[in-house]
Amino acid sequence: MHVGLIHHVGYVVADLDAEIPAYRDVLGMEVGVREVMPDQGVEAVMLGSGPSYVELIAPVTEDTGVARFLAKKGPGMHHVAFVVPHLESTLRELADEGVELIDTVPRRGLGGHMVAFLHPRSTGGVLTELVEDH
Ligand code: CO
């Protein structure tokens, strides 16, 4: 396998509305899809006009990975997401190669993209997300 472009970089923040103006008004980035993802206990918004984006993520419930990240490390970079052409086959290939997967099957991410996370233990300490290109 090989990954393609960086699809987005994910930043954890405490409050989306407090942070969006810096990206929209100062950096001039478009504000894209925004939604609450209850299964992850977060609300997220995609910023930029592509091909690469910034994804701001804020916890909406306690005791989620993102809430713990924010409490422990404060706001900041959380993950990097790369485009792959076929996510399911990529995950099978990575599992065969011994890569530790957080998601063994693709799941729905922000804006309806199919995504999967690789464990940072397998990727140099940086949480890595794969996004299927379609
Ligand atoms: Co992401």
Side-chain angles (χ1 to χ4, degrees):
M1 73 159 286
H2 72 274
V3 298
L5 288 173
I6 290 178
H7 182 269
H8 64 267
V9 178
Y11 299 159
V12 167
V13 300
D15 179 348
L16 296 185
D17 291 311
E19 302 302 333
I20 286 172
Y23 292 90
R24 183 190 59 209
D25 304 335
V26 180
L27 298 179
M29 296 174 82
E30 277 178 34
V31 179
V33 61
R34 174 174 177 165
E35 60 182 305
V36 175
M37 294 183 285
D39 57 321
Q40 294 163 68
V42 301
E43 183 173 15
V45 61
M46 204 65 93
L47 303 170
S49 48
S52 298
Y53 302 84
V54 167
E55 178 185 63
L56 300 184
I57 313 153
V60 294
T61 55
E62 301 295 323
D63 201 36
T64 63
V66 168
R68 284 191 295 274
F69 180 98
L70 187 62
K72 193 171 161 194
K73 300 185 179 178
M77 209 192 98
H78 179 257
H79 66 271
V80 179
F82 295 95
V83 173
V84 295
H86 303 291
L87 187 50
E88 261 191 70
S89 59
T90 299
L91 291 175
R92 278 198 300 274
E93 213 174 304
L94 290 171
D96 287 347
E97 287 166 16
V99 172
E100 196 176 340
L101 307 177
I102 292 174
D103 299 302
T104 54
V105 294
R107 62 185 164 90
R108 188 188 178 283
L110 179 62
H113 289 285
M114 294 311 291
V115 306
F117 283 90
L118 314 184
H119 199 285
R121 272 194 291 268
S122 288
T123 47
V126 177
L127 180 60
T128 299
E129 179 183 6
L130 302 177
V131 179
E132 185 163 87
D133 188 21
H134 56 83

